[in-house]
Amino acid sequence: MKKILPILLLLAAVSCKTIESPSENGGEETVTFSVSPSELSFENADKTTKYVSVKSSGNWTAQPSASWMHVNPTSGSGNGSFSVTVDDYSGSNPRTGSIAVSGNGKGTVSVSQGSASLALKTPSFDGVKRASTTYQLLIYSFADSDGDGVGDFKGIQEHLDYLDALGVTALWLSPAHPTNSYHAYDVNDYFSLNPLYGTETDFKNLIDAADAKGIKIYMDYVLNHSGKNNAWFKSVLSDPVNSDYKDYYVISTNYLADVSAGLVDNYGGGTDAGMGDWHDLAGGDAGYNGRLHFVLDSSTKRITVTKSDAAVDTPASTSDWYIYCGSFKGMKKTATNIYELTIDISTDWGFLVCSKNDWSSGSKYGASSSSGPIAFGTPYQLYTNADNDKVGNIVFGTAYKYFASFDQSMPDLNYGNYAECENSPAFKATVESAKKWVDMGVAGFRLDAVIWIYQAQLKANQRFLDQWYQAVNNYYKQKHSENIFMVGETWCDGGHNGEPNNPVKYPQRGGEKDYYKGLPSCFEFDYGYKLQSVLNDRNVGDFVSTISQYVSEHKAIRSDAITSFFLSNHDQMRFASSLGQSLEKEKQAAAILLTTPEKPYIYQGEELGYWGNQNNGDEYVRAPIVWDAAATKVAKNGVNNKVDNAMLKGSISVETQSADENSLLNVYKTWSRLRNTYPALASGEMSTTSISDAAIAAWYMTSGSQKLLVIHNVASAQREVSVSDSMDKPVALLGTASTKNGRLILGPNSSVVFEL
Ligand code: MG
């Protein structure tokens, strides 16, 4: 909606004439006349008394030009002063007048009262979307077309007008592949689509319909791991030795030895994977159910276990040695240094050997960190440790384990030695799958969890990402003139610069900026964190210079770098919650995001003011869109009905907010339209201004000859700053703003953009 505001009037300051006249009789006597100050300004209901001093060698008079000004006294003799007061004023533009002071010279004091509200001069939008604003969309909870309560491709297609009005030029869709979870980051087949979302025809129709509105489709691609029900992994599960897909996963019969030998690039190395764990490939077979005969040689600390049909022994009540698999079973001494026991056991984790029937220090014996599972009939070396917790369980069953950075439902894919990752079958297969979607019209990929592909090993990840990007982009460019878009989820501890204080654990670990050596775009997580602080602390700090510096650093690494800025995403507390659900702050966050350079992302629901945290599950930050005021069209099944019904009401719906000119949704639409109007905002360069105020974030955005001045007041009170640039053409306003005598007065949480 276009705001109709009174016309901007700037006070044309009239300077006072100060005259010092020479004497007319020979220069022995000086006639002096001056008036100070030359300008007075009053607020609308100003009760202050201001004073004008007169220096005069004779009589003088002071005469106001209008009756709303009151001068006292109106005359005097010699040096003196008079007071000036004004009547209350309710106009929205300033009124001006003057006081003529006459004596043996003449002077004028300009008087103004009130300030000028900004009259927006926003050019009409020509419909060309110039910005590269992306909407992060959760397929499962955006819009349901078929009544099953789960969002789908047709549902998105039915709401393309909404996304178009929001000014977005791309949709980053949550993973679209078959999955076992609602979130879909466990991909069961990279070459097909989740049937809950629709068919390949539905997907193709969505891509084409979106393209017709200038909206591209980016797929979320999960390269770090697959789902456990992926046919590749199921094949490995059934036959880890002979499966055609055994090289697709990080599997090992003795992972610590393999890691030490440098055979497992995909794993961080040492005894600490950083994130993730090794899991039994077959699952649950660490244990054993049945009758076993144990023979311990206490001199060599070796135990031999065999399956047994013999009668069960009654364990010794006290002994030098015990078998532990849930309770302590005393072994019987049958010869010097030999202890034996036949018992039925039922364990899902294995067993331990103890020298006492308690956990006192030194009692526990078990596997070392490099021991494999026990083999029946073969003596098995026992280890102890001063730290009992480091002794491992003695396990039965398969020797194979697989590595998973996240939970065990998502086994990590294996790309082998990073120096030749492009030759690994998993690399080739994932690239091949991406080509299928490129052929269908997909124009970009958001790559999930990229720092974990090689377990935070920066150099390996950089090379992998570069190779994967090149492989897909080379294919894309066979049919397109521009490069494909690809953005990485580079969520690093330490953010942009990484974590300098943790050099031991991850000697090669980098920050977000380092990943531009692999991909043209990375998510700048620092942005949202910093903006939260700016808005909550009401202090801009180094926000402007830091954002500007980040963009410069990325472009210095690669000329095609595009920084991806966002408020929050599906893995974080909702930005509205971080702002204490302050609608004024949420509106200003939108205005700041949409005047920030490079590539902004709007996360589904953010434009409606969705709040939520992950205390009861990630679903609560992934809530479905409420489309109608009756709140009947809500894809709640897409998040297993884990929703905050107090939030998902008609009052927060698209229908309700669309009809409210002052809604958050309309702030997003207005500022997004502004971004699409001006190339300076859409793709311009950010630079700093001389405006200096702890609560004012101001910067220029420039493209060619076009230059805009962006100013945000994050304070809870009105703020007044001197602006040296022209304020003649304000083109966007959030909150309130007025000008007076070359100064800008911005209301609390108010933002303004001037075209210069
Ligand atoms: Mg559906």
Side-chain angles (χ1 to χ4, degrees):
M1 289 289 172
K2 199 165 185 173
K3 292 179 188 292
I4 308 298
L5 292 168
I7 293 171
L8 165 70
L9 282 180
L10 281 175
L11 170 64
V14 181
S15 60
C16 112
K17 292 174 185 170
T18 301
I19 303 167
E20 292 208 13
S21 307
S23 165
E24 291 178 358
N25 45 358
E28 293 184 3
E29 188 181 327
T30 301
V31 177
T32 302
F33 186 83
S34 69
V35 180
S36 177
S38 60
E39 291 178 4
L40 294 176
S41 63
F42 291 86
E43 301 297 329
N44 288 50
D46 208 328
K47 301 301 179 195
T48 59
T49 301
K50 300 182 191 291
Y51 293 90
V52 176
S53 67
V54 182
K55 276 185 170 179
S56 174
S57 54
N59 296 333
W60 51 265
T61 60
Q63 181 62 49
S65 66
S67 60
W68 52 268
M69 290 177 274
H70 307 286
V71 171
N72 185 39
T74 55
S75 63
S77 180
N79 293 345
S81 66
F82 60 87
S83 67
V84 183
T85 56
V86 293
D87 294 337
D88 286 353
Y89 176 59
S90 58
S92 55
N93 293 315
R95 61 181 175 182
T96 58
S98 61
I99 301 167
V101 188
S102 305
N104 46 8
K106 288 184 185 302
T108 305
V109 179
S110 300
V111 179
S112 67
Q113 185 182 17
S115 51
S117 296
L118 294 181
L120 289 181
K121 298 175 181 174
T122 315
S124 59
F125 179 46
D126 62 6
V128 178
K129 290 192 285 187
R130 297 171 175 83
S132 59
T133 310
T134 299
Y135 188 85
Q136 181 190 351
L137 187 152
L138 309 168
I139 303 172
Y140 49 84
S141 66
F142 183 71
D144 171 34
S145 72
D146 58 5
D148 66 357
V150 179
D152 44 52
F153 300 133
K154 282 183 180 170
I156 301 168
Q157 189 176 337
E158 287 171 359
H159 290 90
L160 284 174
D161 283 343
Y162 171 74
L163 297 161
D164 190 34
L166 207 47
V168 304
T169 50
L171 306 180
W172 149 24
L173 304 183
S174 58
H177 304 298
T179 178
N180 295 322
S181 66
Y182 80 91
H183 57 72
Y185 282 95
D186 50 335
V187 173
N188 286 335
D189 183 0
Y190 292 84
F191 291 86
S192 63
L193 299 169
N194 187 336
L196 269 179
Y197 303 160
T199 64
E200 288 191 11
T201 302
D202 296 335
F203 190 49
K204 173 66 175 160
N205 289 342
L206 167 63
I207 292 170
D208 292 345
D211 188 58
K213 292 186 181 297
I215 299 174
K216 295 177 175 176
I217 300 295
Y218 303 155
M219 290 183 91
D220 201 324
Y221 239 59
V222 190
L223 298 175
N224 179 69
H225 52 263
S226 79
K228 200 172 178 179
N229 284 341
N230 192 300
W232 301 340
F233 191 70
K234 284 164 105 175
S235 169
V236 177
L237 264 181
S238 65
D239 188 352
V241 177
N242 300 307
S243 167
D244 290 342
Y245 300 97
K246 64 179 186 295
D247 292 334
Y248 279 51
Y249 294 93
V250 186
I251 61 173
S252 174
T253 54
N254 192 338
Y255 67 88
L256 286 166
D258 286 351
V259 168
S260 298
L263 299 175
V264 190
D265 264 25
N266 214 333
Y267 176 59
T271 56
D272 183 0
M275 187 171 83
D277 215 339
W278 292 83
H279 305 277
D280 291 330
L281 193 56
D285 60 357
Y288 187 80
N289 292 307
R291 188 163 300 175
L292 296 176
H293 181 66
F294 297 84
V295 181
L296 171 68
D297 183 336
S298 65
S299 63
T300 62
K301 303 291 191 297
R302 289 182 177 181
I303 192 162
T304 303
V305 182
T306 53
K307 294 179 183 178
S308 174
D309 295 323
V312 170
D313 291 325
T314 301
S317 56
T318 59
S319 174
D320 296 327
W321 293 96
Y322 298 83
I323 299 296
Y324 181 85
C325 53
S327 59
F328 293 93
K329 309 284 189 187
M331 302 185 80
K332 295 180 174 179
K333 189 170 186 177
T334 54
T336 303
N337 296 327
I338 299 299
Y339 296 80
E340 298 187 56
L341 188 66
T342 300
I343 50 173
D344 289 330
I345 70 165
S346 177
T347 168
D348 60 3
W349 56 266
F351 72 100
L352 290 163
V353 180
C354 299
S355 59
K356 299 173 185 169
N357 60 352
D358 60 38
W359 296 117
S360 53
S361 178
S363 164
K364 190 163 75 176
Y365 286 75
S368 79
S369 57
S370 61
S371 301
I374 195 165
F376 291 117
T378 304
Y380 188 87
Q381 186 65 53
L382 298 178
Y383 295 87
T384 188
N385 194 305
D387 178 358
N388 271 344
D389 290 338
K390 288 189 177 174
V391 175
N393 299 331
I394 303 165
V395 298
F396 303 88
T398 177
Y400 278 99
K401 289 180 180 288
Y402 69 93
F403 182 72
S405 295
F406 296 88
D407 70 52
Q408 60 178 328
S409 69
M410 296 183 276
D412 271 32
L413 287 166
N414 175 34
Y415 300 104
N417 183 334
Y418 78 87
E420 49 188 41
C421 59
E422 65 275 22
N423 297 324
S424 67
F427 182 99
K428 290 176 180 173
T430 51
V431 167
E432 208 54 35
S433 70
K435 288 179 181 176
K436 170 172 177 170
W437 310 117
V438 165
D439 285 342
M440 200 172 275
V442 165
F445 294 93
R446 177 265 183 188
L447 304 185
D448 182 61
V450 294
I451 79 161
W452 299 110
I453 290 174
Y454 279 92
Q455 290 295 299
Q457 300 178 97
L458 177 62
K459 195 175 169 186
N461 284 329
Q462 285 170 329
R463 186 176 186 282
F464 171 87
L465 292 169
D466 181 56
Q467 289 293 312
W468 207 86
Y469 171 71
Q470 297 295 344
V472 177
N473 191 41
N474 288 342
Y475 186 75
Y476 184 82
K477 291 199 74 173
Q478 291 175 15
K479 293 179 184 170
H480 300 82
S481 55
E482 76 278 17
N483 289 328
I484 198 167
F485 179 71
M486 222 176 272
V487 55
E489 188 206 5
T490 46
W491 199 359
C492 300
D493 287 353
H496 175 83
N497 288 311
E499 197 179 20
N501 294 327
N502 194 10
V504 176
K505 189 171 178 182
Y506 291 114
Q508 302 171 316
R509 189 175 201 170
E512 283 150 20
K513 71 176 190 301
D514 299 305
Y515 279 81
Y516 282 87
K517 287 187 176 169
L519 291 171
S521 191
C522 300
F523 285 111
E524 187 57 70
F525 280 77
D526 282 6
Y527 180 84
Y529 297 137
K530 281 183 176 292
L531 186 53
Q532 274 175 36
S533 300
V534 166
L535 291 168
N536 287 333
D537 300 347
R538 299 193 178 280
N539 191 316
V540 174
D542 62 358
F543 178 76
V544 178
S545 59
T546 301
I547 298 309
S548 180
Q549 177 199 329
Y550 282 4
V551 173
S552 302
E553 285 182 27
H554 301 156
K555 292 201 186 297
I557 292 171
R558 62 191 295 157
S559 60
D560 62 344
I562 303 165
T563 307
S564 286
F565 288 121
F566 66 103
L567 301 180
S568 69
N569 68 22
H570 60 295
D571 288 324
Q572 297 175 306
M573 179 187 279
R574 283 280 188 179
F575 209 68
S577 293
S578 300
L579 298 179
Q581 291 179 238
S582 158
L583 185 58
E584 300 314 310
K585 289 181 186 175
E586 290 167 44
K587 287 179 176 178
Q588 192 160 41
I592 292 174
L593 176 70
L594 292 168
T595 50
T596 293
E598 301 284 290
K599 189 170 178 65
Y601 292 70
I602 301 168
Y603 173 43
Q604 174 179 317
E606 216 158 56
E607 77 276 21
L608 301 172
Y610 276 16
W611 63 84
N613 60 45
Q614 296 147 298
N615 292 349
N616 295 312
D618 288 342
E619 293 91 337
Y620 291 91
V621 297
R622 302 171 182 185
I625 296 290
V626 183
W627 291 102
D628 57 330
T632 55
K633 298 173 184 172
V634 188
K636 294 183 182 180
N637 291 342
V639 286
N640 301 319
N641 275 298
K642 291 186 178 179
V643 294
D644 177 0
N645 285 312
M647 179 178 78
L648 299 182
K649 291 178 174 173
S651 55
I652 207 166
S653 70
V654 169
E655 183 178 356
T656 300
Q657 294 203 39
S658 294
D660 175 3
E661 185 184 345
N662 295 313
S663 68
L664 177 62
L665 176 59
N666 275 317
V667 170
Y668 269 93
K669 286 183 182 175
T670 300
W671 288 74
S672 192
R673 194 183 308 125
L674 185 81
R675 190 176 183 91
N676 276 318
T677 300
Y678 285 99
L681 283 177
S683 55
E685 291 185 7
M686 181 189 206
S687 57
T688 52
T689 75
S690 59
I691 295 173
S692 177
D693 184 304
I696 301 282
W699 60 87
Y700 296 114
M701 291 297 293
T702 309
S703 175
S705 60
Q706 188 177 79
K707 188 173 186 180
L708 302 182
L709 172 61
V710 177
I711 308 177
H712 305 278
N713 171 25
V714 301
S716 58
Q718 176 178 293
R719 213 78 172 185
E720 187 174 328
V721 288
S722 178
V723 176
S724 57
D725 295 292
S726 165
M727 294 186 284
D728 287 349
K729 193 172 181 186
V731 293
L733 174 66
L734 173 72
T736 60
S738 57
T739 59
K740 187 166 70 177
N741 299 343
R743 294 175 72 77
L744 175 69
I745 302 151
L746 265 176
N749 284 123
S750 293
S751 301
V752 64
V753 177
F754 296 101
E755 183 181 339
L756 304 180

